[in-house]
């Protein structure tokens, strides 16, 4: 069949493209890129129906006379509208809002000592990948800036089949047992009576559930930290969360935790910014990822592994199978073993980002599961959800989900089957097909489950080794910088202040007291409730399970708490200003030389400067040169930029001073502790915004991250400005509470 043949050829090409890996950076003009993108499939083609019939008129439906009724016979109208009526599929029950990109993964050196997985054994192998980032709670159309966990799902199209590493940007999870997942998700989703609030955990049902589930204490520390509001997908870590197994050629197994370490550093924004960005640009993260890849600034992460020999399984103060625990990097260092580069945007959001189907059970030989009860439950869920989301059992045939390794089995038919299976052998063993397809022995790469010895009673229960819910929560809180602790306290105050039932707030503060007395006290203060004493006694919060409350919710076990500097973003190395966005505030009469020197220096350092003015169009410099304006003070805001600079020029600065939005722009950037620079008269705008003392003497020693100088000194101002942007934020001048504007 013609259409069938065409589809197969196209997807073969896709597979090949993926197999070949990284295409070159696209450097042509935006207009050329647009045209190339938009005409990709249709250049020189006639418009047709889905049956291939050429359409003669796509503007008018078929009518009985020009002013008469439409005719049912109009097959083109019916086909077009029927297709449109069915253009939506159910959104993901969780992780509905996502953005994705293609890329490539390459291991630095063979990991054969630990795993037989081919893509981790051959440093020459460039494995194509598709990576989808997501928020968890919100619907498809919700803001990117919700305070939420971010999904970090990677599909490796390896030569031995697809391997999906379906992780998050936080290394632990809310619950220990898959059985509680529907409860968690029901609690966080909009409340069922009013469908409020969207993409937010700040409401009664979420905190009701959390306050009754002490095992979520550690995850709550992460979600209330700035990790839940990343600056960019490109600047967040990723984690496999569960402990997995690596298995080598000899069948020896080690435990492993997977990490992704971003080469741009780990950075977040402030909650005040997040709320404002949700209004100004709810697609902020999606746009950021797309634009970076489109401009050739390919995001990169290193794959890290923490490997624990099987014999050391029980040497930790916690259970390796408990997904509410992490292995501190100071205890087992993260070894960086390979690099992931995202280098191509999807061609079609629906076909790729929406239809991609991840599954933690998509494994390759050399990687295996642990008995983490959360992971075990996930193994069932992901196929099940695709059956309703993607409409049937053949979702693996959708191009984005296809393995590049050949697929041969006796599965047949079903909704939307693409493959035309030939012959009569659809069973095994068979003789009519020569016994094909054959089972693969271990030597042929056949997957053999790790032969773990299990000899146990069948129980519905939880190991006591899972019962310490607070030591790692405390470890996390104590390991944060003072600024991070303050943000976490403010986040808890914000969230719990939105809870309407006082008893839920109080119960939650009592849970926090188990983590850290000081933390609980500060949160309680913000809620206007009594400051609880740090408690070490049993919480007794749980719903008893057949009178066995003690086993279900035991006394908190306190383990020795060390500090883990790796848990603080403040201790992550700074990585320059690559792809950072800098607003250049300017109007007619701006100093052309200062503007040019500043923007050139920023571009040379890899940043993206954008001219922001009182209107759109073009502005004229003091020497009459036309400069394109990228955004107006009306359609953008300081929260969309990492830094601000104000080049001198008398008329330009006078115009900005007369525009309250310009003053607010700088004031807000100052309050958000961003780097700010000014040359010549530009300093006046900083003074008007309270970012620089008005007196000359005081202005000579500006606050941290503020860089000023006269116009001829623009080059050295730019150098210091670049260093200030690289520091990400200058917290010492962040007002307390940190949202001043
Ligand atoms: Fe998921 N999860 N999950 N999850 N998850 C889904 O699968 C589920 C969990 C994660 O970009 C769903 O295709 C259960 C942990 C990501 O397409 C669903 C449990 C972690 C994504 C599902 C968990 C994740 C999902 C919804 C507890 C981090 C988005 C749509 C047992 C390690 C993947 C879909 C994408 C998506 C179930 C817990 C990560 C319903 C039952 C822990 C990144 O199958």
């Amino acid at each position: 069949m013609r259409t069938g043949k065409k589809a197969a050829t196209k997807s073969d090409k896709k597979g090949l493209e993926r197999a070949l890996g990284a295409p070159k950076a696209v450097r042509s003009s935006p207009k050329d890129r647009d045209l190339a993108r938009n005409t990709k499939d249709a250049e020189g083609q006639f418009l047709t129906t889905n049956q291939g019939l050429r359409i003669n008129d796509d503007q008018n439906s078929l009518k009985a006379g020009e002013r008469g009724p439409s005719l049912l016979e109009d097959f083109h109208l019916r086909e077009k509208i029927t297709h449109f009526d069915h253009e939506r599929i159910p959104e993901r029950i969780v992780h509905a809002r996502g953005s994705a990109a293609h890329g490539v993964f390459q291991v630095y050196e063979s990991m054969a000592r630990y795993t037989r997985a081919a893509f981790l054994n051959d440093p020459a192998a460039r494995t194509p990948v598709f990576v989808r980032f997501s928020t968890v709670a919100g619907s498809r159309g919700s803001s990117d800036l919700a305070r939420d966990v971010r999904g970090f799902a990677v599909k490796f199209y390896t030569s031995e089949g697809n391997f999906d590493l379906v992780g998050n940007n936080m290394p632990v999870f809310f619950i220990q047992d898959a059985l509680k997942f529907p409860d968690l998700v029901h609690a966080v989703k909009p409340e069922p009576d009013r469908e409020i609030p969207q993409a937010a955990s700040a409401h009664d049902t979420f905190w009701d559930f959390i306050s009754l589930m002490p095992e979520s204490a550690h995850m709550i520390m992460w979600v209330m930290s700035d990790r839940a509001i990343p600056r960019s997908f490109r600047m967040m870590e990723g984690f496999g969360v569960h402990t997995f197994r690596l298995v080598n050629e000899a069948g020896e197994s080690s435990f492993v935790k997977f990490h992704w370490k971003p080469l741009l550093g780990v950075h977040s924004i402030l909650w005040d910014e997040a709320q404002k960005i949700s209004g100004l640009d709810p697609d902020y993260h999606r746009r950021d990822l797309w634009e970076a890849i489109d401009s050739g600034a390919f995001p990169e992460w290193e794959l890290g592994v923490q490997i624990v020999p099987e014999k050391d399984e029980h040497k930790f103060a916690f259970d390796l199978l408990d997904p509410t625990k992490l292995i501190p990097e100071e205890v087992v260092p993260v070894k960086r073993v390979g690099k992931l580069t995202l280098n191509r945007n999807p061609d079609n959001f629906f076909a790729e980002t929406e239809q991609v189907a991840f599954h933690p059970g998509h494994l390759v030989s050399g990687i295996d599961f642990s008995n983490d009860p959360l992971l075990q439950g996930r193994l069932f869920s992901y196929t099940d959800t695709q059956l309703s989301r993607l409409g049937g059992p053949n979702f693996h045939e959708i191009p984005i989900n296809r393995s590049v390794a050949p697929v041969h089995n006796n599965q047949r038919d079903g909704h939307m089957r693409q493959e035309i299976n030939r012959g009569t052998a659809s069973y095994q063993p068979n003789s009519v097909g020569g016994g094909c397809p054959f089972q693969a022995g271990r030597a042929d790469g056949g997957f053999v489950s790790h032969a773990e010895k299990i000899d146990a009673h069948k129980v519905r229960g939880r190991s006591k080794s899972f019962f310490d819910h607070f030591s790692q929560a405390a470890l996390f809180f104590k390991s944060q910088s003072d600024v991070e602790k303050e943000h976490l306290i403010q986040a808890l105050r914000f969230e719990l202040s939105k809870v309407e039932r006082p008893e839920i707030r109080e119960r939650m503060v009592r849970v926090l007291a188990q983590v850290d007395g000081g933390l609980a006290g500060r949160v309680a203060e913000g809620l206007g409730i009594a400051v609880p004493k740090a408690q070490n006694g049993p919480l007794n919060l749980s719903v008893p399970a057949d009178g066995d409350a003690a086993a279900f919710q035991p006394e908190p076990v306190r383990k020795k708490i060390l500090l883990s500097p790796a848990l603080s973003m403040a201790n992550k190395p700074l990585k320059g200003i690559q792809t950072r966005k800098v607003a250049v505030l300017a109007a007619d009469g701006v100093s052309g030389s200062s503007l040019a020197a500043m923007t050139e220096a920023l571009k040379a350092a890899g940043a993206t400067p954008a001219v922001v003015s009182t209107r759109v169009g073009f502005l004229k410099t003091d020497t009459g040169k036309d400069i394109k304006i990228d955004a107006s003070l009306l359609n953008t805001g300081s929260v969309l930029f990492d830094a601000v600079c104000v080049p001198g020029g008398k008329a330009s600065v006078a115009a900005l001073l007369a525009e309250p939005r310009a003053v607010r722009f700088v004031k807000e950037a100052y309050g958000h502790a961003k780097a700010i620079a000014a040359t010549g008269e530009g300093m006046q705008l900083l003074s008007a915004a309270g970012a620089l003392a008005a007196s000359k003497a005081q202005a000579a020693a500006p606050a941290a991250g503020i860089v000023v100088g006269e116009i001829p000194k623009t080059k050295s101002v730019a150098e210091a400005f670049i260093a200030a942007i690289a520091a990400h934020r200058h917290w010492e001048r962040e007002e307390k509470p940190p949202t001043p504007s």
Side-chain angles (χ1 to χ4, degrees):
M1 213 170 78
R2 209 170 129 229
T3 47
K5 195 167 163 224
K6 201 172 152 205
T9 322
K10 254 174 84 180
S11 69
D12 286 353
K13 213 179 114 210
K14 267 253 142 61
L16 200 67
E17 256 174 40
R18 285 202 305 246
L20 291 175
K24 286 190 193 70
V26 191
R27 297 262 182 213
S28 51
S29 77
K31 211 172 155 190
D32 290 347
R33 287 205 297 271
D34 229 30
L35 195 69
R37 250 199 314 263
N38 293 339
T39 53
K40 207 167 236 174
D41 291 332
E43 198 174 5
Q45 300 296 317
F46 286 110
L47 184 72
T48 71
T49 65
N50 283 337
Q51 304 304 317
L53 178 71
R54 289 183 184 177
I55 303 294
N56 162 262
D57 179 352
D58 191 39
Q59 317 306 319
N60 301 292
S61 52
L62 191 68
K63 302 176 195 81
E66 277 169 3
R67 301 183 60 253
S70 298
L71 296 180
L72 193 60
E73 163 193 328
D74 188 349
F75 53 83
H76 175 47
L77 175 81
R78 279 189 288 113
E79 182 195 82
K80 189 172 172 182
I81 290 189
T82 306
H83 193 277
F84 164 79
D85 291 343
H86 299 266
E87 272 175 12
R88 291 290 171 274
I89 58 172
E91 66 174 31
R92 290 167 172 82
I93 166 72
V94 282
H95 297 265
R97 167 100 188 150
S99 310
H102 294 270
V104 64
F105 173 80
Q106 206 162 2
V107 72
Y108 291 146
E109 55 187 63
S110 172
M111 291 182 67
R113 192 176 147 202
Y114 301 108
T115 174
R116 62 203 291 246
F119 83 107
L120 293 174
N121 279 199
D122 179 5
R126 290 167 60 78
T127 303
V129 297
F130 189 67
V131 179
R132 183 173 181 272
F133 303 105
S134 47
T135 52
V136 180
S139 290
R140 260 191 74 181
S142 58
S143 166
D144 281 342
L145 280 301
R147 170 175 294 286
D148 200 351
V149 187
R150 299 297 184 285
F152 192 133
V154 183
K155 190 178 281 295
F156 297 81
Y157 303 91
T158 90
S159 58
E160 298 177 311
N162 289 349
F163 168 55
D164 293 354
L165 186 51
V166 197
N168 280 340
N169 75 329
M170 296 177 190
V172 290
F173 203 64
F174 294 95
I175 47 169
Q176 295 175 324
D177 194 306
L179 192 62
K180 298 312 295 170
F181 192 65
D183 298 295
L184 167 71
V185 175
H186 288 172
V188 74
K189 283 275 182 182
E191 298 193 6
D193 52 355
R194 289 158 290 179
E195 183 90 351
I196 294 176
Q198 178 56 242
S201 52
H203 59 113
D204 283 47
T205 54
F206 178 69
W207 287 104
D208 187 27
F209 177 78
I210 293 297
S211 66
L212 293 165
M213 291 290 287
E215 70 199 54
S216 64
H218 186 194
M219 181 65 167
I220 283 300
M221 292 296 111
W222 282 85
V223 180
M224 293 298 117
S225 80
D226 291 347
R227 299 269 190 156
I229 37 174
R231 158 64 183 84
S232 159
F233 293 138
R234 303 174 294 126
M235 298 174 199
M236 61 185 201
E237 291 180 303
F239 303 90
V241 178
H242 315 280
T243 299
F244 287 84
R245 282 178 186 276
L246 294 180
V247 184
N248 67 15
E249 196 57 56
E252 294 155 352
S253 142
S254 346
F255 293 105
V256 64
K257 291 268 192 194
F258 291 110
H259 296 244
W260 292 110
K261 300 282 188 188
L263 294 194
L264 288 174
V266 185
H267 298 293
S268 286
I269 57 169
L270 289 165
W271 181 231
D272 185 53
E273 289 175 87
Q275 291 173 88
K276 290 172 177 160
I277 297 173
S278 285
L280 276 166
D281 185 9
D283 305 307
Y284 181 73
H285 286 147
R286 179 174 288 180
R287 193 185 309 283
D288 168 275
L289 181 68
W290 179 279
E291 286 180 352
I293 294 172
D294 203 40
S295 72
F298 299 150
E300 294 172 318
W301 287 260
E302 285 184 308
L303 177 68
V305 289
Q306 284 177 298
I307 295 180
V308 176
E310 208 170 38
K311 65 176 174 37
D312 292 347
E313 179 179 2
H314 300 294
K315 285 196 179 157
F316 297 90
F318 52 89
D319 198 322
L320 281 183
L321 303 185
D322 174 358
T324 66
K325 305 298 185 301
L326 51 81
I327 309 179
E329 294 188 24
E330 292 75 9
V331 177
V332 178
V334 175
K335 189 173 157 48
R336 297 177 183 226
V337 298
K339 197 200 275 181
L340 162 74
T341 307
L342 296 184
N343 54 26
R344 183 160 62 87
N345 280 315
D347 288 313
N348 185 280
F349 187 92
F350 181 83
E352 300 174 278
T353 310
E354 197 57 17
Q355 293 203 113
V356 64
F358 291 95
H359 192 330
H362 291 166
L363 284 189
V364 289
S365 288
I367 303 179
D368 209 335
F369 312 118
S370 72
N371 295 331
D372 173 343
L374 191 69
L375 173 60
Q376 296 280 319
R378 291 178 74 198
L379 298 180
F380 154 75
S381 175
Y382 287 70
T383 311
D384 186 40
T385 209
Q386 312 309 345
L387 292 176
S388 61
R389 195 172 75 80
L390 298 172
N394 289 315
F395 58 85
H396 62 283
E397 294 191 325
I398 297 172
I400 194 65
N401 295 324
R402 280 190 194 166
S403 153
V404 294
V407 172
H408 300 292
N409 59 41
N410 295 320
Q411 294 170 31
R412 291 290 186 272
D413 311 343
H415 275 294
M416 302 296 168
R417 183 69 171 180
Q418 309 286 304
E419 183 77 22
I420 300 175
N421 297 107
R422 301 204 158 73
T424 53
S426 55
Y427 53 91
Q428 210 275 339
N430 67 63
S431 67
V432 297
C436 295
F438 298 115
Q439 293 176 164
R442 209 184 149 90
D444 300 312
F447 181 87
V448 180
S449 290
H450 178 65
E452 184 182 358
K453 183 169 187 302
I454 295 181
D455 181 8
H457 294 284
K458 191 192 285 182
V459 289
R460 197 176 270 283
R462 214 172 284 194
S463 165
K464 284 208 161 49
S465 54
F466 278 41
F467 282 169
D468 171 10
H469 302 319
F470 297 107
S471 297
Q472 287 211 348
L475 173 73
F476 181 84
F477 184 68
K478 284 195 186 351
S479 303
Q480 301 300 293
S481 69
D482 287 348
V483 171
E484 287 170 318
K485 281 184 184 153
E486 186 59 33
H487 292 174
L488 202 154
I489 290 164
Q490 296 298 339
L492 279 161
R493 283 183 175 182
F494 176 93
E495 295 268 316
L496 293 173
S497 70
K498 297 275 190 179
V499 169
E500 286 167 13
R501 293 174 178 81
E503 67 275 17
I504 297 178
R505 288 184 187 170
E506 279 160 22
R507 196 163 54 219
M508 194 57 220
V509 170
R510 283 177 54 212
V511 173
L512 294 175
Q514 302 281 332
V515 177
D516 187 284
L519 163 70
R522 291 288 316 285
V523 174
E525 219 177 280
L527 298 173
I529 58 179
V531 181
K533 285 208 191 89
Q535 306 167 10
N536 287 315
L539 272 171
N540 197 21
L541 298 170
S542 67
V543 181
D546 277 348
D548 192 15
F552 191 69
Q553 208 56 260
E555 285 191 26
V557 186
R558 296 221 168 249
K559 297 270 164 60
K560 195 174 156 205
I561 299 167
L562 304 163
L563 284 188
S564 172
L567 296 177
S568 165
M569 288 193 285
N571 296 323
K572 307 274 172 200
L574 299 169
K575 301 279 185 157
I577 70 165
Q578 265 273 331
T579 74
R580 292 304 189 117
K581 289 194 145 186
V582 183
V584 181
L585 296 190
D588 288 330
V590 67
S591 159
S593 65
S594 193
L595 185 136
M598 181 60 85
T599 50
E600 272 159 30
L602 289 168
K603 279 185 193 161
T608 314
V611 175
V612 177
S613 192
T614 50
R615 53 170 164 73
V616 292
F618 285 82
L619 63 79
K620 275 209 185 314
T621 68
D622 54 355
T623 55
K625 195 173 167 211
D626 283 333
I627 301 281
K628 186 176 170 288
I629 299 169
D630 298 296
S632 81
L633 286 159
L634 194 66
N635 74 9
T636 191
S638 79
V639 290
L640 300 182
F641 296 91
D642 295 290
V644 189
C645 75
V646 191
K650 211 168 160 192
S652 166
V653 174
L656 293 172
L657 279 167
E659 169 59 81
R661 287 174 193 275
V663 179
R664 197 171 76 203
F665 198 101
V666 177
K667 192 175 172 178
E668 199 174 49
Y670 184 83
H672 293 147
K674 291 173 180 171
I676 304 176
T679 60
E681 294 86 349
M683 288 184 255
Q684 294 168 21
L685 188 67
L686 269 53
S687 299
L692 188 69
S695 93
K696 262 216 153 117
Q698 282 177 319
I706 308 289
V707 189
V708 293
E710 293 308 326
I711 288 176
K713 294 262 160 60
T714 301
K715 228 176 136 192
S716 58
V717 171
E719 265 170 37
F721 185 41
I722 288 166
I725 303 169
H728 184 60
R729 297 295 165 97
H730 298 272
W731 300 119
E732 49 273 60
R733 64 176 156 81
E734 187 196 10
E735 290 182 16
K736 290 185 173 55
T739 52
S741 52

